[in-house]
Amino acid sequence: LDHIRIYWSVYNRHHTIQFHLCMGCGAAYTKQQSESYDVRLEYSTDYGQTWDLVQEECLPSSSECSQTLVSSQYSSSLFKQWRRLTVQLTPTAVSNNTQIRWRQPESGSEVKWAIDDLYFGVRCPASCHGHGRCTATNGQYQGFVCDGNSDGKSCAKSFIYNNQTYHNCTRDGRETIDNQLWCATTENYDLDRQWGYCICGVCQCDSGYAGKSCKTVTRALPQFFN
């Protein structure tokens, strides 16, 4: 088996793919193992006829890049131990027909690679600052919002949207955009335009970190004495 393919029927630009990847771990050393090989994370929006990298490399030195993006083509020389990866969907990968696959372009019977802890869903707050794993909320509102423009504030107890009063999260107004539950974070969305998504990814922090986005360091820092 040289690839793993997964199909999701609903995508939006706020979704994240997070997983652990290991290449060659646990395999007996062979000459083939000593040679570098790649695993590609790819997507297709035409039922698997054509495939592209989920994320192309993009460097700030390029006029087309506003931030640094690492390619979703991974080399075995960098993944001899389990490593966690978080990849944001690009606009071109967003569709109702999107398929995702991990593929080794040149397969070999002695080459081994695996993925684990796969998460696909609304991105976690600040991507857990790189110190935690995203987990699903199982469709339950967690008391704070993500994305939107409210910086993680909680939903208002009730809010006005389009001259109607709401007491719970709603999909109204987003049916043709992404059909996600959202709420206003002030009492009048029509005036303030403050909002966020209700169903968010939740960070499961690594040891030594805490907080909603795993930003708080809880482990003791090393002390140096003269």
Side-chain angles (χ1 to χ4, degrees):
L1 180 67
D2 65 353
H3 73 276
I4 300 171
R5 184 184 300 191
I6 296 176
Y7 172 77
W8 281 288
S9 60
V10 179
Y11 280 81
N12 70 63
R13 63 187 179 87
H14 299 286
H15 278 177
T16 287
I17 303 170
Q18 187 180 82
F19 58 98
H20 281 82
L21 173 66
C22 187
M23 302 167 70
C25 48
Y29 179 84
T30 66
K31 182 178 184 297
Q32 192 174 16
Q33 282 289 80
S34 67
E35 297 173 352
S36 179
Y37 60 96
D38 295 330
V39 168
R40 294 166 56 96
L41 173 58
E42 303 173 326
Y43 76 93
S44 173
T45 57
D46 56 8
Y47 302 99
Q49 296 184 53
T50 60
W51 294 87
D52 297 292
L53 288 173
V54 170
Q55 193 165 274
E56 298 280 358
E57 183 179 70
C58 197
L59 302 175
S61 56
S62 170
S63 60
E64 300 178 355
C65 297
S66 59
Q67 59 180 326
T68 301
L69 296 176
V70 179
S71 169
S72 61
Q73 179 164 317
Y74 309 110
S75 171
S76 60
S77 62
L78 301 176
F79 289 86
K80 296 185 182 298
Q81 303 294 328
W82 285 102
R83 288 179 57 187
R84 182 170 54 222
L85 292 160
T86 303
V87 182
Q88 189 70 34
L89 281 184
T90 58
T92 54
V94 176
S95 82
N96 288 332
N97 303 313
T98 302
Q99 296 183 54
I100 296 291
R101 75 177 181 183
W102 289 258
R103 182 176 71 93
Q104 182 182 325
E106 298 179 0
S107 62
S109 59
E110 294 184 273
V111 175
K112 297 182 179 180
W113 58 274
I115 60 173
D116 198 4
D117 296 326
L118 174 62
Y119 168 82
F120 174 77
V122 178
R123 59 179 174 239
C124 280
S127 297
C128 305
H129 285 93
H131 302 306
R133 181 167 68 89
C134 269
T135 57
T137 60
N138 297 319
Q140 300 297 315
Y141 172 56
Q142 298 295 302
F144 59 87
V145 299
C146 50
D147 294 312
N149 57 9
S150 294
D151 194 28
K153 296 177 182 177
S154 297
C155 290
K157 292 183 179 179
S158 64
F159 61 93
I160 296 172
Y161 166 65
N162 202 21
N163 293 320
Q164 296 185 41
T165 299
Y166 292 78
H167 299 280
N168 295 293
C169 298
T170 180
R171 288 187 171 87
D172 290 357
R174 303 201 67 82
E175 299 93 334
T176 60
I177 301 173
D178 52 28
N179 202 36
Q180 298 291 305
L181 287 168
W182 71 279
C183 70
T185 54
T186 65
E187 294 180 352
N188 194 325
Y189 174 84
D190 294 342
L191 291 177
D192 304 321
R193 303 286 175 177
Q194 297 293 304
W195 70 283
Y197 289 106
C198 294
I199 308 302
C200 307
V202 175
C203 290
Q204 191 175 80
C205 297
D206 296 335
S207 176
Y209 296 90
K212 186 173 66 178
S213 63
C214 302
K215 187 177 181 179
T216 304
V217 179
T218 60
R219 62 185 176 187
L221 297 176
Q223 298 184 24
F224 301 94
F225 301 93
N226 292 327

